[in-house]
Amino acid sequence: MHAPPAAAPPRQTTPEDLLGALERHPLVNLVGPLGCGKSSLAARLAPLPVVDLESPGAADALRSALAEDTARPLVADGADGPAGLAALDALRDRAPGGRPVLVVSRRSLLSRPGWALSGARVVPFRTLRDEEVRGIAERAQVHDPRALGVVTDLAAGNPFIAEAACRALHGGAAAEPGAVAVRVAPEILDRLDREAPGRAWADALQDLASVWGGDQETIGVDGEAFAALAGLSVVYGTEAGLVLSEPFRRVLALARRTRQPSGHRETRGRAAAHRRRMLLEEPPGPRRGRILEGIIALSDEEAVQATLFPGSPEDGLVRPASADDADTVGELMNRWAGHSGLDPRRTDRLVEGWMRTDPDGFLLVHDARGEPVGVSGLLRVEDRTIDSVEPLLQQHTDTLLTRYAGAGHSLLLGAAFCPDRGLHAQLLRSILHRVMALGLYLTVSTVNPGYQRLLHALRFRHHGGTVDDVYRCGRGPEVHGQDFGSDAFLEWAERLAAPAADAGGAGALGREVRHALTHIDSPGRLRGTPLLALSGAASPADLRARLREEVRALAASGSAEEAEAGRILEHYYLDGVRGHERLAIRLHLSRATYFRRLRYGLELIGLRLVRE
């Protein structure tokens, strides 16, 4: 593979692009999310006439403009709410021919009733890059590095949110994401009011932001409110219900968490419990993957949120690569090697082996314009791929082949690369969807510390490091894995959902104890826990022995409350009785009491370890 040229940044749509499209198509639709700058771009087409579809008399103004005998293009801005869409009827009903028209809208006209066969040429509007957002903030006289970081992070390429964040900072908001989000959230709601006046949907939208997405029962709204949510341009549908698009979801969720922390936690706790019940009834398939994705979205782990739900737009397309994509895959994998600091020659040889032994194992992610911008390399772990698999798994190969590949359901992720945060998250979550739907065992071999933190936060099993530095980058890969077969899948969901299921949650010390107990038989995972230093344990083996001793002692306590807490920890973590709901029934405890005792036991064990 040859070294590719440096990737050119995606180009913003220009007035010249729109004029060129209007020369070729009688109807052009400029589409982009709320606040991305569509109207500002359309204004740069002056002196072309503009009809504001939300203004009084817009329908008559549009009919008059369409009746003029001219080939000069016309701009119709604001095709979003009931009034604007009604005014567009004049355009839909006109005879073929006539002057070309540019319609500006948040959603594609082709998604609206009666427009699917209109022949509209849809032009997507690209969001800004981080450096462009920083430029907006600096022009707004925001220069403090921390404040610039908050603006850039919250905006995620959206100039409206960037400007609103700058106003919040100048208005006295602290340079903290939550404090700024509290000021920005009402402005988002104001802009959405044009689509659905009256705000009957406002509370439901903020609940949806808290839980990331879901069906009517998950969100806890009636059918009318659910339908109102579905009609908003910032909301889209999935197999498991509605999802609030980024960065609006993150801003509204941060605002709710800051303003109403108890309500935010309770909403998330109810959603986690509901999704767990759904998993028990849902057969393998795409919908089950979406349900579990919703449980992952409720995780409070920073690595999970930053990597899988970063608050950036996810408007790409992930698809399997074909033989015709070989050059594209090669170039993107070469960029991955350069980005990760890997030896390019060594990586080229590895990737060529992957492409030769498992050519169908690559996924490509395309941006909104259809350009390939990211790639993942996946390999079936089986005899025919052993030469490509072994360098990534090394001493773990035989174990994984024997345990999982023998059943024909093991997949190895060797690389995932996309410089765009939102599309990177979309690519990673698509991989999870694939393995969840097929019930595969997913093994990840990675030298990337960020991915290692993510896998740790996702409670994947840590198989250990490899002996050889396969990429010649100064560090060997770490190997993690998770079984997505039916029984293991549900058990993993329990581990993920347990912290969120109790709205109160455990404290930091309790979370560390929970993590250590979850991985009590994995010395490699215990080696990284802060409990080693806090407890003064001499080694992971010493910590493991002390954890077992403390749990057994708690279960034998003379205090009924402590004994119940100890028995929960003993059965769940030491005896391997999986399923919190089942264990609560077995111990004759209500669900609320069970999770109170669980949290109490984790915190108490932590305090005893630290005090000794």
Side-chain angles (χ1 to χ4, degrees), residues 17 41 56 66 72 116 119 133 158-159 207 211 236 253 274 297 339 344 383 395 451 507 530 548 562 567 574 585 588:
D17 293 331
L41 175 60
L66 292 173
R72 187 185 185 197
V133 171
N158 187 288
D207 284 341
V211 302
Y236 63 93
H274 176 66
H339 176 81
D383 290 339
Q395 71 268 30
Y451 285 153
R548 290 182 180 276
E562 289 185 2
R567 285 195 293 273
L574 303 187
I585 294 172
H588 306 290

Side-chain angles (χ1 to χ4, degrees), residues 81-94:
L85 291 169
L88 271 188
D89 285 343
L91 174 60
R92 185 176 57 188
D93 296 339
R94 71 169 175 170

Side-chain angles (χ1 to χ4, degrees), residues 100-113:
V101 179
L102 172 69
V103 176
V104 182
S105 62
R106 297 171 186 171
R107 273 188 169 166
S108 167
L109 283 181
L110 302 181
S111 70
R112 302 291 188 179

Side-chain angles (χ1 to χ4, degrees), residues 67 95 210 216 348 381 396 439 470 480:
S210 288
Q216 184 177 325
D348 276 357
V381 182
H396 308 289
V470 64
H480 298 73

Side-chain angles (χ1 to χ4, degrees), residues 330-353:
E331 290 186 357
L332 287 168
M333 292 296 285
N334 198 294
R335 290 180 196 161
W336 162 70
H339 176 81
S340 303
L342 313 182
D343 180 89
R345 290 187 295 254
R346 176 63 172 164
T347 305
D348 276 357
R349 289 195 294 273
L350 287 169
V351 173
E352 285 169 356

Side-chain angles (χ1 to χ4, degrees), residues 272-311:
H274 176 66
R275 286 171 179 156
R276 292 167 70 211
R277 289 192 294 270
M278 292 172 67
L279 276 181
L280 295 174
E281 302 171 358
E282 189 66 32
R287 180 175 164 80
R288 188 172 72 166
R290 282 289 185 186
I291 295 169
L292 185 53
E293 181 182 36
I295 291 177
I296 297 172
L298 295 175
S299 170
D300 291 325
E301 296 279 1
E302 182 180 354
V304 173
Q305 291 300 321
T307 308
L308 297 181
F309 305 93

